[in-house]
Amino acid sequence: ELKVEQNPLFLSMQEGKNYTIYCNYSTTSDRLYWYRQDPGKSLESLFVLLSNGAVKQEGRLMASLDTKARLSTLHITAAVHDLSATYFCAYGGAQKLVFGQGTRLTINP
Amino acid sequence: DAGVIQSPRHEVTEMGQEVTLRCKPISGHNSLFWYRQTMMRGLELLIYFNNNVPIDDSGMPEDRFSAKMPNASFSTLKIQPSEPRDSAVYFCASSFGGGGRDTQYFGPGTRLTVL
């Protein structure tokens, strides 16, 4: 069974701090997606990582992929309140996306 | 681009009633997905269409649920009869490529409450 596990599931941090969300998946994959969901809203695509060693950055968010370790990370640099949301990673299989449980990130002033 | 369009945005109904959710995918996208999101179960794929043909419906909970895609620009998800445990947010998503091969773009969702 395909599995995607994120940790932590809940993260409360202060503005200005750095932190990393981890996403482990259970099978080989050449693509990994990150999505953001604000409370009561839809899922917004952030990044797609297509190969081993891929790194994508947008503002204070940076995502990377290590296919050998079956691990993707989402790094937050100097967090700001606007980044408070739930972040999902998803493994891209031939038939579907398999989503992790989501990491609820709260950034306090 | 208007993005994925879903209607209604909110639906409140009583147990036993029929519910129909609607979705218009992004123009030019070949794949359409219906998801359900709850606190307990997270995000679940219900059914996936490619070129209007159902490819994987293994996530459809039971016979009370049915989905159709009569053409490339319209899909419906029907629940008949509805039950309180069907209360959830239902998302429609579309992508250019099939399965998990391309980024899926999500609609705003339909929040369903079954009393």
Side-chain angles (χ1 to χ4, degrees), chain A residues 16-19 57 59-62 75-80 83:
Chain A
K17 300 291 187 182
N18 303 333
Y19 210 81
Q57 183 162 5
R60 300 175 187 273
L61 300 178
M62 183 174 72
H75 187 73
I76 303 137
T77 302
V80 294
L83 292 179

Side-chain angles (χ1 to χ4, degrees), chain A residues 30-31 33 35 37 40-45 47-48 50 88 91-97 99-101 104, chain B residues 9 33 35 37 39 42-43 45 48 55-56 58 91 98-109 111:
Chain A
D30 60 356
R31 54 193 67 211
Y33 300 85
Y35 285 84
Q37 186 177 35
K41 303 293 186 182
S42 185
L43 280 78
E44 174 191 355
S45 173
F47 302 109
V48 54
L50 297 177
F88 292 90
Y91 149 96
Q95 287 292 92
K96 60 184 179 182
L97 293 185
F99 282 86
Q101 314 95 309
R104 185 176 295 181
Chain B
R9 295 291 303 275
F33 308 81
Y35 290 89
Q37 186 177 39
M39 288 294 293
L43 197 60
L45 176 66
Y48 149 46
I55 303 299
D56 182 357
S58 60
F91 289 105
R101 310 308 291 170
D102 271 330
T103 299
Q104 294 180 16
Y105 296 89
F106 283 73
R111 184 173 296 275

Side-chain angles (χ1 to χ4, degrees), chain A residues 70-108:
Chain A
R70 301 180 185 174
L71 171 69
S72 181
T73 60
L74 181 66
H75 187 73
I76 303 137
T77 302
V80 294
H81 179 68
D82 287 352
L83 292 179
S84 296
T86 298
Y87 292 86
F88 292 90
C89 65
Y91 149 96
Q95 287 292 92
K96 60 184 179 182
L97 293 185
V98 179
F99 282 86
Q101 314 95 309
T103 297
R104 185 176 295 181
L105 174 63
T106 302
I107 299 169
N108 304 304

